């Protein structure tokens, strides 16, 4: 699948390549932001002495 995308990417014009790269970077930035937010929630709100649904969810992260 990656090789097919590489072949497709090589056939694009310079402007279209730039758009594709920006799209990929935007996706990675959003993914990184979501992961960072979940790590923040886990570090801030995890309390081992409580046994609520929220605590169980944070432990599974």
């Amino acid at each position: 699948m990656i090789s097919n995308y590489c072949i497709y990417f090589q056939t694009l014009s310079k402007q279209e390549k730039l758009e594709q790269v920006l799209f990929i970077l935007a996706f990675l930035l959003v993914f990184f932001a979501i992961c960072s937010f979940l790590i923040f929630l886990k570090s801030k709100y995890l309390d081992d002495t409580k046994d609520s649904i929220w605590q169980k969810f944070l432990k599974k992260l």
Side-chain angles (χ1 to χ4, degrees):
M1 188 168 107
I2 294 174
S3 62
N4 288 341
Y5 182 75
C6 290
I7 293 169
Y8 165 73
F9 188 75
Q10 292 299 323
T11 62
L12 295 175
S13 67
K14 190 173 183 178
Q15 180 66 26
E16 291 171 331
K17 284 182 185 180
L18 180 63
E19 290 174 3
Q20 287 289 316
V21 169
L22 290 176
F23 178 75
I24 292 170
L25 289 176
F27 173 77
L28 291 176
L29 180 67
V30 169
F31 183 73
F32 178 73
I34 291 170
C35 290
S36 298
F37 180 69
L38 290 174
I39 290 170
F40 167 75
L41 285 178
K42 185 175 182 177
S43 67
K44 183 155 179 81
Y45 295 110
L46 185 62
D47 185 8
D48 291 331
T49 61
K50 296 181 182 178
D51 196 30
S52 67
I53 294 174
W54 176 247
Q55 294 297 319
K56 290 178 184 176
F57 172 73
L58 289 175
K59 286 178 187 175
K60 289 184 180 182
L61 286 178

